[in-house]
Amino acid sequence: MTTPARRLTRSRRSKVVAGVCGGLAERFGLSPNLVRLLFVLSCILPGPQFVVYLVLWIAIPKAAY
């Protein structure tokens, strides 16, 4: 018996801005607040974190439920 594959979708339940962090947390079985905290902490470092968030916002579909 196989488990159904979980798709990466933006969360409607754990949504703060666009649901990207909530969707990533649901997909990988983490706390949405932990993923948000890691994203905010990563924004302190130099790099394209905010641009990656915007790209994920566009690329990841909304959840159907």
Side-chain angles (χ1 to χ4, degrees), residues 4 19-20 25 35 44-45 53 56:
V20 173
V35 175
I44 295 171
L45 302 171
Y53 186 89
L56 290 175

Side-chain angles (χ1 to χ4, degrees), residues 1-34:
M1 188 173 217
T2 61
T3 59
R6 290 187 282 174
R7 290 186 53 206
L8 179 59
T9 59
R10 292 185 305 175
S11 177
R12 290 185 183 243
R13 290 182 285 149
S14 306
K15 182 177 176 179
V16 173
V17 176
V20 173
C21 291
L24 288 171
E26 288 176 3
R27 170 64 176 92
F28 295 108
L30 300 171
S31 166
N33 289 329
L34 175 64

Side-chain angles (χ1 to χ4, degrees), residues 30-59:
L30 300 171
S31 166
N33 289 329
L34 175 64
V35 175
R36 289 181 192 111
L37 178 65
L38 291 173
F39 173 72
V40 169
L41 290 176
S42 74
C43 285
I44 295 171
L45 302 171
Q49 293 87 342
F50 190 71
V51 174
V52 170
Y53 186 89
L54 293 175
V55 169
L56 290 175
W57 187 350
I58 294 167

